[in-house]
């Protein structure tokens, strides 16, 4: 079992000329991971977005929980 923290920034563009390394969406959070031999890697994270993001008409800039089942590559 271990605890981790993260900070990240990212964005997507359809045209490489629109790329701006300082124009990404920022977030930070913390989580807990546990390796169980019967199930593999299980985890839960909580992330909070600092910038306002509208996706599909919904404001997703508040905090969100994420569940992880299995190894991520």
């Amino acid at each position: 079992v271990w605890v981790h923290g993260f900070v990240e920034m990212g964005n997507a563009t359809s045209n490489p000329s629109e790329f701006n390394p300082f124009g990404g969406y920022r977030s930070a959070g913390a989580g807990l991971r546990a390796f169980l031999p019967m199930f593999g890697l299980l985890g839960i994270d909580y992330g909070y977005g600092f910038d306002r993001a509208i996706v599909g008409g919904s404001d997703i800039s508040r905090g969100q929980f994420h569940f992880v089942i299995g190894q991520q590559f």
Side-chain angles (χ1 to χ4, degrees), residues 34-42:
F35 181 76
L36 304 172
M38 183 181 281
F39 299 107
L41 187 65
L42 298 176

Side-chain angles (χ1 to χ4, degrees), residues 9-57:
M9 183 179 81
N11 201 353
T13 60
S14 59
N15 187 351
S17 64
E18 297 174 1
F19 175 71
N20 180 0
F22 301 106
Y25 294 105
R26 300 166 296 155
S27 65
L32 177 72
R33 294 281 192 272
F35 181 76
L36 304 172
M38 183 181 281
F39 299 107
L41 187 65
L42 298 176
I44 184 169
D45 298 331
Y46 180 78
Y48 183 82
F50 298 114
D51 302 308
R52 187 166 186 200
I54 306 295
V55 176

